Amino acid sequence: MKINMYIDGEWVEALSGDRKNIINPANGEVIASTADGSVDDAKKAIKAARKAFDSGIWSNLSAEERAAYLYKIADRLEEKATELAFLETLNNGKVIRATTTADIPVAIQTFRYYADQVKEIKKESYIRADSSETMIIHEPIGVCGLIVPWNFPLMMAAWQIAPALAAGNTIVLKPSELTPVSAFKLFEIIEEVGIPAGVANLVLGPGSKVGNELAESLDVDKVSFTGGTKTGQSIMHAATSNMKKITLELGGKSPLIVFDDVDFEAAVENAMFGIFHNAGQVCSAASRLLVQETIYDKFVERLAERANKIVVGNGESENSEMGALTNEFHMNEVLSYIKSGIEEGARLVCGGKRLTENGLERGFFVAPTIFADVNEDMRIVKEEVFGPVLVVQKFKDEEDAIQKANDSIYGLAGAVFTEDMERAKRVISKLRAGITWINSYHLAYVDSPWGGYKQSGIGRSLGSVGLEHFMEMKQINVHRHVKPVGWYAN
């Protein structure tokens, strides 16, 4: 597969002519060749987006007209759902059951949701005592740079593209240089449905070049980024160039709290899903498990027993329950965290190694890993590992659980498992996190806001607020006739 950039309605090579290979993380095989863009390519795309926005070719369309394009995109995604699910698995390494049942359907749903949402925006109007009128209207921000990660390539792209286009903005999308395949397919659809040239642009290349240019450029009015906190901080700093609007969804070290009154086996399975779904490569992964001391030993033992039975393998197999990590560099980072945990004295309960048997030797597979008897000063407890690595902490009572859960620089997600609903509501209300669950984990809804507290980000994606983040609000005060102010004596 040959992948190029889509700029100003044309498929183009990188200006430098550079290309790079894209590999399947399950077996190391080359699956595509992609244009490898740089700063000049980003500038070219920004220029096209700026020209398109200033022309009004998109922003001047009615909400209904823009929504019609989004519905068409959703329909085409649905027609190609099987192909897209396979390609996402091939490029990212995740299991096919995830791309089939979650990633692609959610992307489709996102386009339809924002097509519906933008049509429902109403003008606010107030008549004053002096018969003047105040109107509040929503307008697009302008050119939006959208930087999305490699863990949910198509779904995260949809989360940003759909509201940005619905609101009337023009966009430059930068997918991860590791996982551009589904973004390329999405832009083929964008071309097919006839979105005007320059409105939607795809630039490929490393974040240090393309992403940084989007953040710094004076012609970009908003940047939305999903990824690591350190990179988010760099983007936030670069965005001061023109005080551009920013939305940042960043890291997490999310707690899952289990009280001793729960359905034991169900809680064990939910804890597994919280951390091992997508091989732990989820910003909201439940990477810190807090278990009440009365069931701690039994829970850890059972958790390890079941984690050792997780079927790890090529994501293309329907039998695989956990796939490969998305790239070799990241796999080695995860393995270094595991080594750190052992060196710092945590008890390795299961896993802790790269998997190279039964045909996995050419892929980037790490065994489901659990550490027990950890303390809050360990790196594996404090830092985001972003892999299939769980740390289990013991707590005494409700107050202790809340204190330990909130003892983090992050605040993206969290959950409470208990049969006592009053306790569940008390605890969840005290968790400093933006996405929370009671007796479940990882469920997400397109109509509800997604984002975190503290160093887990700024702003929210999804829901009606996800659309608002791509719009400006304008106040218009109307007097039908000019009257003297009467302020000055002469």
Side-chain angles (χ1 to χ4, degrees):
M1 181 187 302
K2 184 177 181 180
I3 297 174
N4 282 332
M5 294 182 278
Y6 187 71
I7 299 176
D8 205 13
E10 301 288 339
W11 293 101
V12 296
E13 294 272 3
L15 291 170
S16 65
D18 292 343
R19 300 193 68 80
K20 66 177 293 185
N21 288 332
I22 303 300
I23 66 168
N24 179 348
N27 55 27
E29 294 179 358
V30 175
I31 59 172
S33 167
T34 179
D36 190 18
S38 190
V39 172
D40 289 339
D41 299 286
K43 287 181 176 178
K44 181 180 177 183
I46 292 167
K47 182 179 180 181
R50 181 83 266 162
K51 180 181 177 183
F53 182 77
D54 291 344
S55 74
I57 195 172
W58 184 250
S59 59
N60 288 345
L61 295 180
S62 68
E64 289 75 13
E65 289 172 314
R66 292 195 300 272
Y69 282 101
L70 268 61
Y71 288 132
K72 289 178 183 178
I73 292 172
D75 290 345
R76 293 292 286 136
L77 286 171
E78 195 163 52
E79 291 168 11
K80 296 173 176 284
T82 301
E83 175 193 3
L84 289 167
F86 172 74
L87 290 174
E88 199 79 317
T89 289
L90 201 68
N91 190 182
N92 172 274
K94 63 176 61 185
V95 296
I96 192 70
R97 70 167 73 174
T99 56
T100 301
T101 63
D103 295 44
I104 309 307
V106 171
I108 295 166
Q109 184 185 8
T110 302
F111 277 99
R112 288 181 177 147
Y113 173 78
Y114 283 111
D116 291 340
Q117 278 288 303
V118 75
K119 294 187 297 181
E120 294 176 3
I121 294 177
K122 305 297 183 184
K123 293 180 181 178
E124 296 179 62
S125 180
Y126 305 95
I127 302 298
R128 306 301 181 185
D130 62 356
S131 297
S132 66
E133 180 183 9
T134 297
M135 295 184 293
I136 299 172
I137 64 172
H138 294 79
E139 297 181 336
I141 292 174
V143 176
C144 297
L146 312 177
I147 306 171
V148 296
W150 46 257
N151 58 333
F152 292 88
L154 182 62
M155 189 174 81
M156 291 293 187
W159 282 16
Q160 304 305 324
I161 292 173
L165 291 181
N169 302 288
T170 59
I171 65 168
V172 178
L173 177 75
K174 194 209 89 67
S176 168
E177 63 269 32
L178 301 169
T179 54
V181 173
S182 56
F184 167 68
K185 287 295 180 179
L186 173 58
F187 270 77
E188 285 187 332
I189 290 172
I190 285 173
E191 180 185 38
E192 286 174 13
V193 302
I195 286 183
V199 170
N201 304 274
L202 172 67
V203 180
L204 308 170
S208 59
K209 298 176 182 179
V210 175
N212 191 64
E213 180 61 27
L214 290 173
E216 288 188 343
S217 173
L218 298 178
D219 282 326
V220 174
D221 303 296
K222 177 188 170 76
V223 63
S224 177
F225 169 78
T226 303
T229 296
K230 288 185 178 179
T231 304
Q233 290 169 335
S234 297
I235 288 173
M236 188 174 181
H237 178 75
T240 61
S241 61
N242 62 341
M243 298 299 291
K244 59 172 58 69
K245 306 293 189 293
I246 56 173
T247 302
L248 305 174
E249 195 229 300
L250 307 177
K253 194 71 179 176
S254 301
L256 188 155
I257 302 169
V258 179
F259 285 92
D260 62 8
D261 64 341
V262 294
D263 181 317
F264 187 87
E265 288 296 331
V268 168
E269 185 171 359
N270 274 273
M272 291 169 59
F273 186 65
I275 181 59
F276 299 128
H277 174 57
N278 202 31
Q281 299 170 123
V282 186
C283 55
S284 57
S287 54
R288 288 188 295 142
L289 175 62
L290 309 179
V291 182
Q292 195 159 22
E293 60 185 9
T294 47
I295 59 170
Y296 177 85
D297 291 333
K298 180 183 176 183
F299 202 95
V300 170
E301 181 181 0
R302 181 59 173 150
L303 192 64
E305 181 183 354
R306 292 199 62 180
N308 278 324
K309 296 178 181 178
I310 290 175
V311 180
V312 181
N314 191 316
E316 296 173 53
S317 170
E318 294 284 352
N319 295 323
S320 292
E321 297 171 333
M322 192 179 93
L325 299 190
T326 301
N327 63 86
E328 184 175 17
F329 176 81
H330 181 59
M331 176 192 70
N332 289 330
E333 279 193 323
V334 171
L335 291 172
S336 74
Y337 270 109
I338 293 172
K339 181 181 178 182
S340 169
I342 295 170
E343 291 174 346
E344 289 185 313
R347 176 164 64 94
L348 181 63
V349 178
C350 69
K353 63 181 181 179
R354 180 179 182 179
L355 296 177
T356 57
E357 300 175 350
N358 301 318
L360 303 184
E361 65 278 356
R362 294 172 59 195
F364 311 133
F365 297 91
V366 173
T369 298
I370 300 172
F371 283 103
D373 304 338
V374 299
N375 65 64
E376 63 275 8
D377 295 323
M378 294 176 176
R379 288 184 63 211
I380 55 171
V381 177
K382 297 175 69 168
E383 300 177 20
E384 184 179 39
V385 178
F386 214 66
V389 179
L390 176 67
V391 296
V392 191
Q393 295 172 273
K394 185 186 301 183
F395 72 86
K396 182 179 180 180
D397 53 24
E398 189 175 314
E399 182 180 357
D400 189 32
I402 294 167
Q403 187 277 321
K404 285 184 167 69
N406 287 332
D407 185 18
S408 174
I409 63 171
Y410 299 110
L412 186 55
V416 179
F417 283 73
T418 178
E419 292 300 310
D420 184 340
M421 282 297 101
E422 292 305 312
R423 175 166 62 186
K425 292 173 183 178
R426 282 196 308 271
V427 174
I428 215 75
S429 69
K430 294 179 180 178
L431 288 190
R432 300 289 295 164
I435 311 151
T436 61
W437 297 272
I438 294 174
N439 293 333
S440 68
Y441 208 89
H442 279 319
L443 297 175
Y445 303 96
V446 174
D447 60 5
S448 300
W450 183 276
Y453 292 17
K454 298 188 276 188
Q455 292 189 37
S456 286
I458 295 174
R460 296 292 186 271
S461 299
L462 300 183
S464 59
V465 70
L467 181 60
E468 291 169 8
H469 276 314
F470 284 100
M471 306 186 88
E472 296 277 21
M473 294 181 70
K474 177 181 286 184
Q475 178 186 150
I476 304 174
N477 295 294
V478 180
H479 288 74
R480 296 192 177 277
H481 304 285
V482 180
K483 298 179 180 179
V485 178
W487 185 266
Y488 304 100
N490 298 300

